Structure formats: C-alpha cells, structure tokens
Amino acid sequence: MALQCGIAGLPNVGKSTLFNCLSNAKAQSANFPFCTIEPNVGVITVPDERLNKLAELVHPQKIVPTTVEIVDIAGLVKGASKGEGLGNKFLAHIRETDALIHVLRCFDDDNIVHVDGSVNPVRDREIIDTELQIKDLETVDSRIAKVQKQAQTGGDRQARLAYEVLHRYKTALEQGLNARTVTFDTRDEQKIARELFLLTNKPVLYVCNVDEASLVHGNAYVEQVQKSIQAEQAEMLVIAARIESEIAEFETHEEREMFLHEIGLSESGVNRLIKSAYRLLNLETFLTAGPQEVRAWTYVKGSKAPQCAGVIHTDFEKGFIRAEVIKYEDYIRYGSEAAVREAGKMSVEGKDYIVQDGDIMHFRFNV
C-alpha cells in the first residue's frame, strides 16, 4: 500500500536524525540548513507484538510484518510559499504525502544552530503552518473564482455546495487556522473537501524532539506545544532523537530493552512513532496464520472483507465467497485454529463484514 507519511519541520530540528533511526536509508544529517534536498523515502517495518505471539503457537517458516513509507522532507523556512529556501520544491513534496509528522525542536543546545536564532517550538509550528496556509488559500481562491458565478446565479446545486465549502475554508485560513479545524456534516461536503487536497487538511502528528533529561516528563517547550495544538485535537509524541540514535546502535534486542529500562521507558520512541504514523494514515492490520507464514496485511480502516481479500490477491476479491474470521484474543486463548473451531469461536462472514484490526482471516474464493 503506497500511502506515505512525510516528516516535516524547520531546518536543524532533528528530522533527518529521526528519519535515520526509523529507516535503513541514511539521510545526511548535518549542522546546516538544507542538508536534505531530495526527499529520502524509507520503508519502515511496523512493530506488532501479535505476530510473535502467534508464531509461538503456529511455528511458521517465516514471520512477515507490514510496512509504512516515511518520507524525509527538506527543512521548510519562512517565505517557502513564495519560493524562499527552495520552498516550492519542498511544498510539492509535502503535497505528495498523505499525512505529516511535524518535528519541533524542544531542546536547548548552543552547538546546534537554529535557523531563526532561538528555540521557540510554537513559533516554528506557526511558521510552517503559515506557509502551508498561504498555499491553501491560493488553491481556495482559485477554485472560488471558477465556481462563484455559477453558484450565485445558476441553479447548479453542486456549484453552490462547493462554494459554501470553499468559503468556510477561506474564512478559517484567513484567520490563521488550518483547514483540518473545519468540519463538515454531510457526505457531499466531505467529498468536496477531500478533493481539494489542501496541505493543512492532512492529518498531522506533532513530535517534540527533546533532550534526555526531558524524555520522561517533558519540559516547558513541550507544554507550550501542547497548549498551541489543542484546537486541532492532534496527537503529540515526545521523543529524544539523539537517544533514539543510541538505541539504534545496539545490536541485540536484549541490549535495547536494558537501555530503555535504565532510562525509564517501556518502548522506544521510534516504535511509538511508527505505530502513530500507521494510525495517522488511517491504516489497520489483519493477520493470516499458517505453517508457511504468520503475516500482517495493511488495509484502510473501515474496509469490507472482499477489499481486504484483494490486498492479498486481486483474484481473492473478484471471486470472494466468504471470510472465516478468528479474533486474535480467541486464537491466543485457545492456542490453535482447530481449538477455536471446536469452541465455536470462528465466525463466517459475507461481503458486508467490516474487518477489524487484529482479525485473523481465511478467505474462500472461486474464479
């Protein structure tokens, strides 16, 4: 599934360091702006403890996790909407992603230059938001010019609806608000809104990059960010990119676990970030379990059984008959597929079944 999450932020906030921790691809990380010009793309394995639990019961030949694509986008600067700092290219890279991980610098370090001379994550967030809002306002104004006359003088209901949606976005953007703060009630309105592909309508995860001392309890910078994003109801994570770099250097799982325990964490920031990015893209996982492999499969939340069958192979969707579904908790509880069947805990579902995260699926089809 080719959905991508982009890592965005000002220069020197820790984006490329974080990307290097996430991916085997090593982006250049240097103490000057624009060290990442072309976006680096990493295919990241999504941590899922359920695969290992199933493997302990099934003893498959291999375990295949699912993945998500992360794009490291070069640092954005004030004036990017007018082409400053190679801004047009960077904005185009953001437009191509499906969701944003917005990294904010929440640490002091005199050895790392800040592009604006001081550490202020709320200001940094507003700089990027403003640049994206300016581009969105250009898009909205352009669309309004096309539909306004038709909406106001003609009998075209769709044009009137589009004009209303655009006008609401225009009002919000002119007030310095992101498009994602505007909500619509009807499906028609929501469809028009989606088709605008506005930059500030993309789901966003704010990542506060802190020093080691602030990793567990945060700091004043983190509190400021938290207050500033309340209106968006966006998710926020606190991560120390430098610590994540150290964790990535350990060769064994045991060493990483020991280090995490010493600094008071149960899970690495990278793992939490990947899982959050997966949710941000509105993705969930169904599972298959057999002697050949235990595997995780990615699908868009809300998909029905035939669509999920098509994730495995298009023939499965074309010739879909039914899906045999075992809940993950039941599989673990009873210990095998046969035991689940005997307990009457396996359900047979048809074309309208909405697949749930963690469902263990077996598809019956005929082509």
Side-chain angles (χ1 to χ4, degrees), residues 246-319:
E246 292 180 26
I247 294 171
E249 295 298 321
F250 290 116
E251 293 184 2
T252 68
H253 176 73
E254 289 73 20
E255 287 176 315
R256 288 192 289 273
E257 289 295 307
M258 190 179 298
F259 181 79
L260 286 168
H261 180 73
E262 286 175 1
I263 61 175
L265 295 178
S266 59
E267 186 177 25
S268 75
V270 162
N271 275 12
R272 289 185 291 118
L273 178 55
I274 296 169
K275 290 176 182 177
S276 294
Y278 197 67
R279 290 196 302 272
L280 197 64
L281 291 167
N282 201 32
L283 300 177
E284 290 184 335
T285 303
F286 72 86
L287 309 167
T288 53
Q292 289 189 330
E293 65 179 25
V294 165
R295 183 165 183 159
W297 302 85
T298 298
Y299 68 94
V300 176
K301 186 177 180 180
S303 296
K304 294 183 178 180
Q307 294 170 287
C308 288
V311 171
I312 298 177
H313 198 286
T314 53
D315 284 351
F316 284 27
E317 183 173 6
K318 289 175 185 174

Side-chain angles (χ1 to χ4, degrees), residues 175-193:
Q175 292 173 354
L177 299 173
N178 289 321
R180 73 181 70 89
T181 63
V182 181
T183 56
F184 298 99
D185 297 326
T186 71
R187 286 187 179 180
D188 287 344
E189 289 174 325
Q190 291 164 4
K191 183 174 184 292
I192 292 167

Side-chain angles (χ1 to χ4, degrees), residues 206-210 214-216 218 222 236-240 269 272:
Y206 292 100
V207 174
C208 295
N209 184 15
V210 301
S214 308
L215 187 53
V216 176
V222 173
M236 187 187 83
L237 280 181
V238 178
I239 286 179
R272 289 185 291 118

Side-chain angles (χ1 to χ4, degrees), residues 8 45 95 108 112 158 174 182 187 212-213 226 232 246 264 292 296 301 323 348 350:
T45 297
R95 194 177 296 282
D108 293 306
I112 300 177
Q158 199 65 17
E174 287 178 338
V182 181
R187 286 187 179 180
E212 183 178 354
Q226 204 159 21
E232 293 189 44
E246 292 180 26
Q292 289 189 330
K301 186 177 180 180
V348 177

Side-chain angles (χ1 to χ4, degrees), residues 16-207:
S16 294
T17 302
L18 199 55
F19 178 82
N20 289 341
C21 298
L22 287 165
S23 173
N24 290 328
K26 293 293 180 183
Q28 181 186 359
S29 181
N31 183 21
F32 57 89
F34 314 125
C35 63
T36 310
I37 302 300
E38 296 301 327
N40 294 270
V41 181
V43 180
I44 315 298
T45 297
V46 179
D48 194 334
E49 297 79 5
R50 295 173 299 192
L51 293 174
N52 293 327
K53 296 276 190 183
L54 285 172
E56 289 173 9
L57 299 173
V58 179
H59 306 294
Q61 294 176 24
K62 60 180 178 178
I63 301 173
V64 184
T66 191
T67 59
V68 63
E69 288 189 9
I70 306 286
V71 185
D72 181 24
I73 299 169
L76 211 65
V77 295
K78 192 182 293 183
S81 58
K82 297 179 177 64
E84 294 293 329
L86 304 180
N88 289 330
K89 183 180 283 191
F90 301 163
L91 288 167
H93 292 153
I94 288 176
R95 194 177 296 282
E96 289 166 6
T97 63
D98 301 283
L100 285 179
I101 298 168
H102 189 158
V103 182
L104 297 165
R105 177 171 169 175
C106 295
F107 65 90
D108 293 306
D109 189 335
D110 294 336
N111 295 317
I112 300 177
V113 179
H114 190 288
V115 72
D116 280 330
S118 62
V119 177
N120 185 335
V122 174
R123 176 204 60 206
D124 294 353
R125 183 183 76 86
E126 289 172 352
I127 286 172
I128 288 191
D129 279 357
T130 299
E131 298 304 322
L132 300 184
Q133 287 164 11
I134 290 169
K135 295 305 287 187
D136 280 349
L137 199 51
E138 288 178 13
T139 300
V140 168
D141 283 340
S142 173
R143 296 292 180 91
I144 284 176
K146 291 179 181 177
V147 302
Q148 187 169 7
K149 186 175 181 180
Q150 202 175 358
Q152 293 177 339
T153 62
D156 190 331
R157 177 186 174 276
Q158 199 65 17
R160 286 201 307 274
L161 200 59
Y163 179 76
E164 289 168 12
V165 168
L166 289 162
H167 186 69
R168 285 189 62 189
Y169 274 141
K170 182 177 172 67
T171 302
L173 291 165
E174 287 178 338
Q175 292 173 354
L177 299 173
N178 289 321
R180 73 181 70 89
T181 63
V182 181
T183 56
F184 298 99
D185 297 326
T186 71
R187 286 187 179 180
D188 287 344
E189 289 174 325
Q190 291 164 4
K191 183 174 184 292
I192 292 167
R194 278 196 307 271
E195 290 173 351
L196 291 171
F197 298 107
L198 298 180
L199 297 171
T200 63
N201 212 16
K202 294 179 186 292
V204 65
L205 166 69
Y206 292 100
V207 174

